[in-house]
Each structure stands twice: as structure tokens, then as C-alpha cells.
Amino acid sequence: KQWYQRRVREFQTFKHYFKQINLSMSVALLRQVLGRWSVSLPIRGVSEVAALKEEEEKLEEIHQEEQEDASLLLPDTFHTRSLVVHEAFRRFRPPREAWIYGFDNPIKRGLVELHPEVFAVNPQIDKIHEVIHWQEKCTRKEEIEYMRSELPGSGKKLRPQKGTGSARFKDKRAPNCMFGGKVLGKRPRDYGYDIDPITLITGFSALCTTKLAQGDLSIVDTLQGVDVPALVEYKSRLTAESVLFVTGYAPGLTSSQNTEICFHPGIDLLTTETVHPLAMIQHTVVVMDYLAVRQLEEWVLAIRGEHTVVEQTANTPV
């Protein structure tokens, strides 16, 4: 009886962690636990697990076929497992996978692994709001209002004090005159404040996770050397209201291209050094290239105090 109770407690503990680990690992662990039992126990839900396992095998076959089709397009460039993720992360928080598309041709060129610390975190709305509020305060600017003594012009009295039937008036810099000086006018003020780096990257990671879960984050092979007409054409293919392009290749656009892109509302191109959460919120779709994804992952993990997780291989684009 005691042996039976220990096995039941072991199975209940396994059910508690069943939702946290991968399904394939759960089925394998379930088979190991069932193999240790010498008697058949009335286990609930084993048929459901078997059905889920069959469905997973079918999806895995389809996934392998898609990978074989994609491997014909680009040989071993984006299929390489370039992320070095700890085994504990692979067990409880596996890396996310996303399709990488060609910028010129909207076809799938392979699969990339996205680090779970950046693209698979808890989407904390409060952290996103805190980061956006901090950025708005840091970028807030007020127009200066000049006081009477700061305006140009002489202090000559415009009309006599008495005898004109009008109000008393001195010079044109008076506050009651149009375009006159202000009484205690606004002074330049810095509304910015310091924010914890961990809070900053937590909000940024939550925003990236939310964009990826909503299907508003797309990854392309490269954005190096693109021009404004190509960006406009890519936006027309997405049928999105606004698109933000993020590239890892500096400097992005030239001064003339920045002037040209102003005539196309809803399109913006930033680098990994200039991208910010407020721009990602203001645009409907975010398009990143492969190098930008890896640089943002390095930036987040560097702030967390971890080592570089990107393994530079010969096939990794630089």
C-alpha cells in the first residue's frame, strides 16, 4: 500500500510540471514512469496524451518537409542552430522559432531560433507602459516663452500717458501688447529621469514577445543597401498601416534618403542603435533583419550580466 501511495504521489507531481515542459519530453518522461510500474494503475488522460503525441508527430513531419523545401533555397545559412541556450531554458522555456523571409522575394528561406529571454518572456503590460512613459518624459520639450526684458526693441513710450482717451501704455514689449513679453514665461525644463536597466530590457523584451505573438514581427534576410522605393514596395505587400524597418547595418539611410522617406508616411528605417520601444508601439508591423535580431539579443543579455549567446559561425551573416 505504501509503495502504491508513493507512485501515486510521484504521478501527481509529474502532472503538476506537465504544463511547464515540452510535450515531447512529457510523453517520454511519462513512458519512463509507466515503465517503472509493475502494476497497471488507473491513469486518467493517457489516451488524450497519445492522441496529442500522434498529432505532434504529424506536425513534425510537415515541419521537416517545409525545412527540406526551404533548404533548397538557401544552403545552411539560417538553419544553423546559432543560439547557445542553457539546457534548463530548453526544458522549461524552449527557444521560439520564426520563419525568415527574403526581402526581395516574399518566400521562406529558413527557420531561426529566437532567444527565450527576448522573445518568450511574460508580456508584462505594466513594464511596457513604464518604459514608454519614461521615454516620453525624456523626449518632452517645451517652447521657451520670452519675458519682457528678453525681447528686442527699445523702451520708448509709444503714446502720451494722458489725453489720448486710450489705456496707459509704455512700450511694445509690455505683456498686454500682442507679441509682447510674458510674465514669468516658461523656462526649459528637463522632465527625464533615470530608469533601471533591468526594467528597460524587461519592457523591451515584453514588447518584442507581444509583437511576435500577435504576428506583427517579421524577419527578413538582410536590409543592407535598401532604398526608399524598395521599402515602399515591401509595405504595399504587407498591406499594413505603418511599418518600422530595423537593420543591423549602420548607418541605415543617408541624409537624402531620410528627406525622401518623409514623403512616405507610415514608413521608417532605424538601426539597432536608434530603435526604441516608442517607435515599435507607433508602428503596426516591425520588420527586422537577421543581424538586427542577433544584435538586440546580445544587447539584452549583456545588460542582464550574461555572456554572449550568439555563436559566430562561418555561415552567420556579419
Side-chain angles (χ1 to χ4, degrees), residues 234-267:
Y234 192 89
K235 177 180 177 295
S236 62
R237 292 203 304 259
L238 293 179
T239 64
E241 184 177 354
S242 58
V243 181
L244 173 64
F245 296 92
V246 182
T247 179
Y249 300 94
L253 297 177
T254 61
S255 57
S256 60
Q257 290 177 339
N258 285 326
T259 306
E260 183 181 358
I261 204 172
C262 295
F263 296 96
H264 301 279
I267 298 178

Side-chain angles (χ1 to χ4, degrees), residues 24-170:
S24 59
M25 299 178 63
S26 303
V27 174
L29 184 59
L30 179 61
R31 290 176 178 174
Q32 294 178 6
V33 174
L34 292 178
R36 291 166 51 186
W37 292 344
S38 59
V39 294
S40 60
L41 300 179
I43 302 175
R44 205 176 152 193
V46 176
S47 60
E48 298 178 0
V49 172
L52 290 175
K53 179 60 179 179
E54 293 178 359
E55 184 178 355
E56 183 189 5
E57 291 177 354
K58 294 180 181 179
L59 293 176
E60 187 175 357
E61 292 177 359
I62 298 174
H63 177 67
Q64 291 179 356
E65 293 177 358
E66 291 180 348
Q67 274 193 333
E68 292 176 358
D69 296 339
S71 62
L72 300 176
L73 302 175
L74 191 64
D76 298 337
T77 301
F78 302 106
H79 318 300
T80 54
R81 304 296 183 181
S82 56
L83 278 181
V84 181
V85 185
H86 197 270
E87 291 299 329
F89 273 136
R90 290 191 178 274
R91 181 178 180 184
F92 297 103
R93 191 186 292 178
R96 294 291 178 88
E97 291 185 345
W99 286 107
I100 182 168
Y101 298 89
F103 182 77
D104 299 329
N105 298 323
I107 56 177
K108 297 178 181 178
R109 305 195 65 181
L111 276 173
V112 290
E113 282 188 352
L114 305 177
H115 201 281
E117 284 293 311
V118 185
F119 296 95
V121 299
N122 183 19
Q124 305 179 37
I125 307 300
D126 57 333
K127 297 297 182 181
I128 298 177
H129 175 267
E130 185 175 352
V131 172
I132 297 300
H133 181 266
W134 164 77
Q135 189 172 0
E136 288 179 345
K137 288 294 184 180
C138 291
T139 57
R140 179 178 176 181
K141 295 181 180 179
E142 290 184 349
E143 295 183 0
I144 183 174
E145 294 180 349
Y146 294 100
M147 291 189 290
R148 183 172 184 172
S149 59
E150 297 173 345
L151 291 176
S154 64
K156 179 183 177 182
K157 192 175 179 64
L158 297 180
R159 57 174 176 256
Q161 182 79 359
K162 294 179 178 293
T164 60
S166 301
R168 293 171 289 187
F169 200 87
K170 188 183 178 183

Side-chain angles (χ1 to χ4, degrees), residues 89 115 117 301-309:
F89 273 136
H115 201 281
E117 284 293 311
L301 295 174
I303 295 181
R304 289 189 181 276
E306 301 182 7
H307 297 289
T308 304
V309 298

